[in-house]
């Protein structure tokens, strides 16, 4: 796949991370992302707002702004590692699968398994894998691709290469794909290119962001991520759908999200996408 054929989307966590300092709604996000020059959006369950029960209305607003829904991203307070919460988490997953199914081409991205309770770490991998696989079955039944998004945030279960190897050994790659996130991988281990090659057949789309040598978030192209090498590997993945989703968590973005995501879009143009 030529880099010129790649599509560039934007993740709404750039605004979500502002917490109470963000007073806008989903229409403000769509406007800022469209004005930033993006073709698509990945929105989260936290940021969907008034559209949560109205995917048809959201689809109409996407069309108005000239955007596509790349993926609907969801998480859970359970961290997907509490066995007693699996059924509740699956009901929530089905809700968002139904939402995504109403919008052509959209995936559901499920957040990183996270440690939220005491107990052996190995058991949490098994619980998370059971949830992810069952979520994948729900997606297959509804015609919606499911993908997992590991993170490096506080208490993540999926931080270093050993964690990636363990969870992927337990997850059915035919049911659950992978959304690699360059920033999160680099914060957990420096073998990013080998990780991408090893699990290339699981990749559905890519989260692109950057970190400096100490693992602090940086604007795209200002850190240590070898973006062209990453894109080369991902673009050759057999189930890659062509989307590069830019997600910005740096201090620059915290000060001015709209300007930060617009700057990142310009950076991607310099890379050729």
């Amino acid at each position: 796949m030529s880099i010129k054929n790649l599509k560039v989307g934007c993740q709404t966590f750039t605004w979500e991370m502002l917490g109470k300092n963000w007073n806008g709604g989903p229409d403000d996000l769509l406007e800022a992302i469209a004005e930033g020059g993006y073709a698509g959006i990945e929105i989260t369950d936290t940021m969907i707002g008034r559209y949560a029960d109205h995917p048809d209305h959201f689809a109409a607003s996407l069309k108005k702004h000239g955007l596509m829904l790349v993926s609907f991203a969801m998480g859970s307070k359970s961290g997907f590692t509490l066995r007693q919460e699996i059924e509740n988490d699956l009901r929530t997953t089905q809700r968002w699968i139904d939402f995504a199914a109403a919008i052509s081409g959209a995936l559901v991205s499920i957040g990183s398994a996270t440690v939220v309770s005491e107990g052996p770490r190995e058991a949490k991998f098994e619980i998370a894998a059971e949830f992810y696989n069952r979520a994948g079955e729900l997606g297959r039944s509804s015609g919606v691709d499911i993908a997992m998004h590991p993170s490096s945030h506080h208490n993540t279960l999926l931080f270093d290469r050993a964690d990636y190897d363990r969870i992927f050994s337990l997850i059915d790659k035919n049911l659950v794909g992978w959304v690699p996130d360059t920033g999160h991988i680099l914060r957990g281990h420096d073998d990013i290119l080998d990780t991408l090659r090893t699990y290339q057949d699981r990749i559905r789309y890519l989260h692109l962001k950057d970190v400096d040598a100490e693992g602090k978030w940086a604007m795209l192209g200002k850190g240590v991520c070898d973006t062209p090498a990453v894109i080369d590997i991902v673009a050759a993945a057999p189930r890659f759908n062509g989307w590069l989703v830019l997600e910005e968590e740096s201090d620059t973005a915290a000060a001015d999200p709209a300007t930060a995501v617009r700057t990142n879009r310009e950076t991607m143009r310099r890379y050729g996408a």
Side-chain angles (χ1 to χ4, degrees):
M1 179 179 290
S2 166
I3 193 168
K4 292 183 178 180
N5 296 326
L6 300 179
K7 301 165 286 187
V8 183
C10 183
Q11 225 282 352
T12 61
F13 188 75
T14 301
W15 288 266
E16 184 176 338
M17 70 178 184
L18 301 181
K20 293 180 180 179
N21 291 326
W22 167 248
N23 298 310
D27 293 297
D28 299 304
L29 299 175
L30 293 174
E31 182 174 349
I33 289 169
E35 289 181 353
Y38 291 86
I41 181 174
E42 179 180 78
I43 199 163
T44 68
D45 48 2
T46 302
M47 303 300 274
I48 192 63
R50 67 187 185 89
Y51 291 116
D53 296 314
H54 304 285
D56 52 337
H57 295 173
F58 188 60
S61 193
L62 287 167
K63 184 176 181 180
K64 173 185 173 183
H65 289 90
L67 295 170
M68 297 180 68
L69 179 61
V70 181
S71 182
F72 189 97
M74 60 165 285
S76 172
K77 291 181 179 179
S78 75
F80 308 117
T81 57
L82 298 178
R83 187 168 298 282
Q84 68 270 25
E85 292 298 324
I86 287 179
E87 299 303 327
N88 286 334
D89 285 338
L90 288 171
R91 281 190 288 272
T92 300
T93 303
Q94 185 65 64
R95 176 191 182 189
W96 298 128
I97 287 172
D98 292 343
F99 185 99
I103 302 175
S104 178
L107 290 84
V108 169
S109 171
I110 302 177
S112 186
T114 304
V115 178
V116 298
S117 65
E118 300 292 332
R121 187 175 174 85
E122 177 58 28
K124 299 184 188 306
F125 280 100
E126 294 169 359
I127 294 166
E130 178 184 343
F131 165 74
Y132 287 133
N133 283 327
R134 291 179 65 184
E137 290 171 351
L138 293 178
R140 182 167 61 182
S141 296
S142 300
V144 173
D145 257 3
I146 302 295
M148 178 194 64
H149 177 272
S151 85
S152 60
H153 288 308
H154 181 65
N155 281 349
T156 181
L157 188 68
L158 308 177
F159 182 66
D160 61 21
R161 178 59 184 268
D163 295 336
Y164 280 53
D165 290 343
R166 183 60 182 138
I167 197 67
F168 284 138
S169 75
L170 296 169
I171 289 178
D172 185 341
K173 64 183 179 181
N174 295 312
L175 291 174
V176 183
W178 176 35
V179 185
D181 183 300
T182 53
H184 287 306
I185 297 173
L186 286 165
R187 277 158 58 101
H189 43 117
D190 59 8
D191 63 344
I192 182 170
L193 300 184
D194 183 66
T195 302
L196 291 169
R197 292 189 188 100
T198 300
Y199 298 111
Q200 189 180 39
D201 58 347
R202 298 175 184 259
I203 297 171
R204 298 297 188 271
Y205 64 100
L206 177 68
H207 267 203
L208 262 178
K209 56 178 177 280
D210 219 334
V211 296
D212 66 18
E214 283 71 50
K216 183 178 179 181
W217 301 117
M219 289 287 289
L220 190 64
K222 300 298 184 181
V224 299
C225 183
D226 187 346
T227 299
V230 166
I231 292 175
D232 282 346
I233 295 169
V234 171
R239 298 190 66 179
F240 175 60
N241 67 6
W243 280 105
L244 308 175
V245 174
L246 311 189
E247 182 180 20
E248 187 54 57
E249 298 186 46
S250 68
D251 291 342
T252 301
D256 188 345
T259 297
V261 301
R262 191 160 55 244
T263 299
N264 278 351
R265 183 65 190 93
E266 289 301 317
T267 298
M268 283 309 303
R269 288 193 177 94
R270 292 197 293 274
Y271 285 127

